[in-house]
Amino acid sequence: GAMMDNRFATALVIACVLSLISTIYMAASIGTDFWYEYHTLSPAENVSEAGRSVWEEFVSKDADEKTYTDALFRCNGTVGLWRRCITVPKNSHWYSPPETDMTTNCISFSLSDQFVEKYIEPGNHNSGTDLNRTYLWRLQFLLPFVSIGLMCFGALIGLCACACRSLYPAIATGVLHLLAGLCTLGLVGCYVAGIELLHRKLPLPEDVRGEFGWSFCLACVSAPLQFMAAALFIWAARTNRKEFTLLKAYRVA
């Protein structure tokens, strides 16, 4: 008995650690701005005089998707799920030496930005709604919260299970982690598809390179951790249940 209990205890401890790490990764990934990065290889010489106007367009309430994407292309932009950032010269005087200090400024997507329709031609609202991109964007905004919510709910059930000294709820915790992992995979898929479709509409300029950033990688790592935790929770609960039944049969005999 004791030997077996150690095996379950170990499996459950590892599952809890994996669950915790993946929750931290998800939270960090939602909160940071490096889901996608643009590297502008030849920064525009005119960026210093245009810097102010680019910045004003970028932050304005009615910056449409095309406006801010162009700014991201031109100014080493980075994008998160919640914010978009560009790097512009600090002092936008009309005269400034070429080696100006650069500063990174960010603006948050408002809630209405997250749910606003995307157009078939970005920036042209007469071109009709692009349903695919609209829903991909909404999903990539909602899924991470669903994923974290499922894991926290799983953790609560797990805590109750510890309090009741019962392993049965570990199956529920495992299933919730499995669903959380699927949500995280869905989020990663939606994000990649959304970026692909956007770049088909607004191709990257010659001198701009785009790549997925480390915030995106955190979400990618989070999914397998959630699946591993789920597998461990479910394994521990099922195997333990089997042994428990055997033990009872043996006692009765």
Side-chain angles (χ1 to χ4, degrees), residues 65 112-119 125 128-130 134 138:
E65 194 178 28
S112 57
D113 285 342
Q114 299 283 18
F115 289 99
V116 76
E117 292 178 1
K118 306 278 180 203
Y119 301 115
H125 56 81
T129 307
D130 188 333
T134 303
R138 291 175 187 176

Side-chain angles (χ1 to χ4, degrees), residues 4-184:
M4 285 307 157
D5 292 347
N6 284 347
R7 255 179 39 207
F8 300 127
T10 312
L12 289 175
V13 167
I14 295 173
C16 292
V17 170
L18 291 175
S19 167
L20 184 67
I21 295 173
S22 67
T23 307
I24 292 169
Y25 279 6
M26 273 310 288
S29 128
I30 294 175
T32 49
D33 309 322
F34 296 90
W35 277 72
Y36 203 84
E37 305 173 32
Y38 296 101
H39 301 285
T40 314
L41 305 176
S42 54
E45 285 69 51
N46 62 349
V47 82
S48 40
E49 69 254 23
R52 177 56 62 87
S53 66
V54 167
W55 174 241
E56 278 166 4
E57 281 175 4
F58 188 69
V59 296
S60 83
K61 269 277 160 274
D62 19 81
D64 60 40
E65 194 178 28
K66 183 168 172 20
T67 311
Y68 72 68
T69 305
D70 284 343
L72 290 169
F73 288 167
R74 284 174 60 190
C75 307
N76 289 309
T78 64
V79 196
L81 296 182
W82 278 95
R83 300 203 306 171
R84 51 183 193 266
C85 307
I86 54 175
T87 305
V88 286
K90 231 188 201 113
N91 41 359
S92 9
H93 300 309
W94 55 272
Y95 166 77
S96 55
E99 64 279 0
T100 32
D101 293 348
M102 300 300 270
T103 167
T104 299
N105 294 320
C106 297
I107 172 103
S108 294
F109 291 107
S110 66
L111 256 181
S112 57
D113 285 342
Q114 299 283 18
F115 289 99
V116 76
E117 292 178 1
K118 306 278 180 203
Y119 301 115
I120 289 172
E121 288 170 30
N124 172 6
H125 56 81
N126 298 326
S127 61
T129 307
D130 188 333
L131 283 178
N132 286 349
R133 287 179 43 244
T134 303
Y135 283 102
L136 284 171
W137 187 279
R138 291 175 187 176
L139 279 173
Q140 87 189 24
F141 163 68
L142 293 170
L143 281 173
F145 294 109
V146 177
S147 174
I148 283 194
L150 287 168
M151 284 199 295
C152 294
F153 190 47
L156 272 177
I157 292 180
L159 285 174
C160 299
C162 287
C164 313
R165 302 244 169 137
S166 145
L167 259 184
Y168 292 129
I171 287 197
T173 303
V175 170
L176 288 170
H177 277 74
L178 189 65
L179 293 173
L182 290 173
C183 286
T184 308

